[in-house]
Amino acid sequence: MQTQNAAGNCSDCPIRHRAVCAHCEKPELNELESIKYYRNFEAGQSIIWSGDKMGFVGSVVSGIASLTQTMEDGRTQMVGLLLPSDFVGRPGREGSPYDVTATTDVVMCCFRKKPFEEMMARTPHIAHRLLEMTLDELDAAREWMLVLGRKTAREKIASLLSIIARRDASLSSGGPVGTLVFDLPLTREAMADYLGLTLETVSRQMSALKKDGVIQLEGKRHVTIPDMGRLMEEAGDDTDGGMLG
């Protein structure tokens, strides 16, 4: 892991309109700047160990991290993914209940925890945005319970692709309009672990979605979605395709 002291320009930040600072005005951004730093993590590297004391909170700027819980007998379960703009850490709590691991190379915008908590207490813009993000996270967790509990293997794969595609679209163009193109940030093995499927099933269903024209694949990672509406139908999702938090 590397720490970078040189802060970037918040106005040029790719997650600026979705991050915890999305509603902040210039004086508030200046104050955040004074407690901000960046950290880089390589794929497979631990970001947070469950139970460890955290000295920072922050947002994922790029890359994806996994949330994993370990049971008493040593078995582990991936319980969530952190995508760009997602918030890491909980103000008011000493540590994390989950292991957080970089699935891909990750860049995080971090804030020193104590000053951030003090600023949040007197800055409605930050407190309100963090509440919005927490409620979005709750909605996403409830949606994922449906994915894991009731959907078929094909629907699970389509659901995961739609979640990643919608987030990518929200960061790059403001919404899923027309053809969407993105690089899948997860290996087939990671997808299988997260979805509770076998590697063979994931590969078979990805090939089936490609054969049926729902997705286009270049290699294993470069994905094109010609029609987002059709992918949502394959996911068994009758929502309006709005963004997940």
Side-chain angles (χ1 to χ4, degrees), residues 23-33 119 123-125:
H23 302 325
C24 288
E25 298 175 354
K26 187 172 178 57
E28 297 160 341
L29 290 175
N30 290 339
E31 186 171 354
L32 284 173
E33 190 81 21
M119 185 176 176
T123 307
H125 286 154

Side-chain angles (χ1 to χ4, degrees), residues 9-74:
N9 189 335
C10 288
S11 63
D12 297 328
C13 178
I15 62 167
R16 171 74 173 86
H17 65 290
R18 287 186 57 87
V20 70
C21 55
H23 302 325
C24 288
E25 298 175 354
K26 187 172 178 57
E28 297 160 341
L29 290 175
N30 290 339
E31 186 171 354
L32 284 173
E33 190 81 21
S34 69
I35 62 172
K36 181 181 77 174
Y37 59 96
Y38 291 97
R39 295 176 73 173
N40 294 336
F41 299 88
E42 296 179 353
Q45 190 173 6
S46 175
I47 297 175
I48 303 165
W49 288 104
S50 173
D52 282 357
K53 187 174 182 179
M54 289 183 61
F56 71 93
V57 295
S59 297
V60 177
V61 177
S62 64
I64 284 188
S66 64
L67 300 173
T68 305
Q69 193 160 27
T70 303
M71 294 183 283
E72 291 183 359
D73 62 4

Side-chain angles (χ1 to χ4, degrees), residues 86-102:
D86 282 340
F87 194 74
V88 180
R90 291 293 181 267
R93 291 187 181 179
E94 289 293 321
S96 168
Y98 309 110
D99 294 327
V100 182
T101 305

Side-chain angles (χ1 to χ4, degrees), residues 210-236:
K210 177 182 177 181
K211 180 180 178 182
D212 294 341
V214 180
I215 62 174
Q216 298 169 6
L217 286 175
E218 292 181 27
K220 291 187 176 181
R221 297 290 190 91
H222 194 66
V223 181
T224 299
I225 301 175
D227 183 347
M228 188 65 184
R230 186 177 177 195
L231 179 64
M232 298 292 287
E233 290 176 2
E234 291 287 349

Side-chain angles (χ1 to χ4, degrees), residues 60-199:
V60 177
V61 177
S62 64
I64 284 188
S66 64
L67 300 173
T68 305
Q69 193 160 27
T70 303
M71 294 183 283
E72 291 183 359
D73 62 4
R75 287 178 294 167
T76 62
Q77 174 63 49
M78 191 188 300
V79 296
L81 291 175
L82 294 171
L83 303 174
S85 80
D86 282 340
F87 194 74
V88 180
R90 291 293 181 267
R93 291 187 181 179
E94 289 293 321
S96 168
Y98 309 110
D99 294 327
V100 182
T101 305
T103 303
T104 66
D105 290 348
V106 169
V107 176
M108 284 193 58
C109 176
C110 302
F111 305 102
R112 289 185 287 120
K113 190 166 181 289
K114 188 65 174 177
F116 182 86
E117 290 173 341
E118 293 171 352
M119 185 176 176
M120 187 180 73
R122 52 184 166 78
T123 307
H125 286 154
I126 292 177
H128 181 253
R129 177 57 186 152
L130 193 57
L131 175 60
E132 288 180 338
M133 296 173 74
T134 302
L135 293 174
D136 286 345
E137 184 179 332
L138 178 60
D139 287 342
R142 287 169 172 166
E143 179 177 350
W144 201 247
M145 288 174 64
L146 174 63
V147 170
L148 296 181
R150 293 296 179 184
K151 292 192 175 184
T152 66
R154 183 182 176 101
E155 288 173 336
K156 288 180 180 181
I157 297 294
S159 294
L160 180 57
L161 292 174
S162 71
I163 288 170
I164 295 172
R166 283 182 281 164
R167 176 60 64 87
D168 187 80
S170 75
L171 293 173
S172 60
S173 60
V177 179
T179 299
L180 297 181
V181 181
F182 61 94
D183 289 321
L184 188 62
L186 299 172
T187 64
R188 301 290 172 88
E189 290 84 355
M191 291 173 67
D193 186 23
Y194 189 41
L195 294 167
L197 301 171
T198 66
L199 174 59

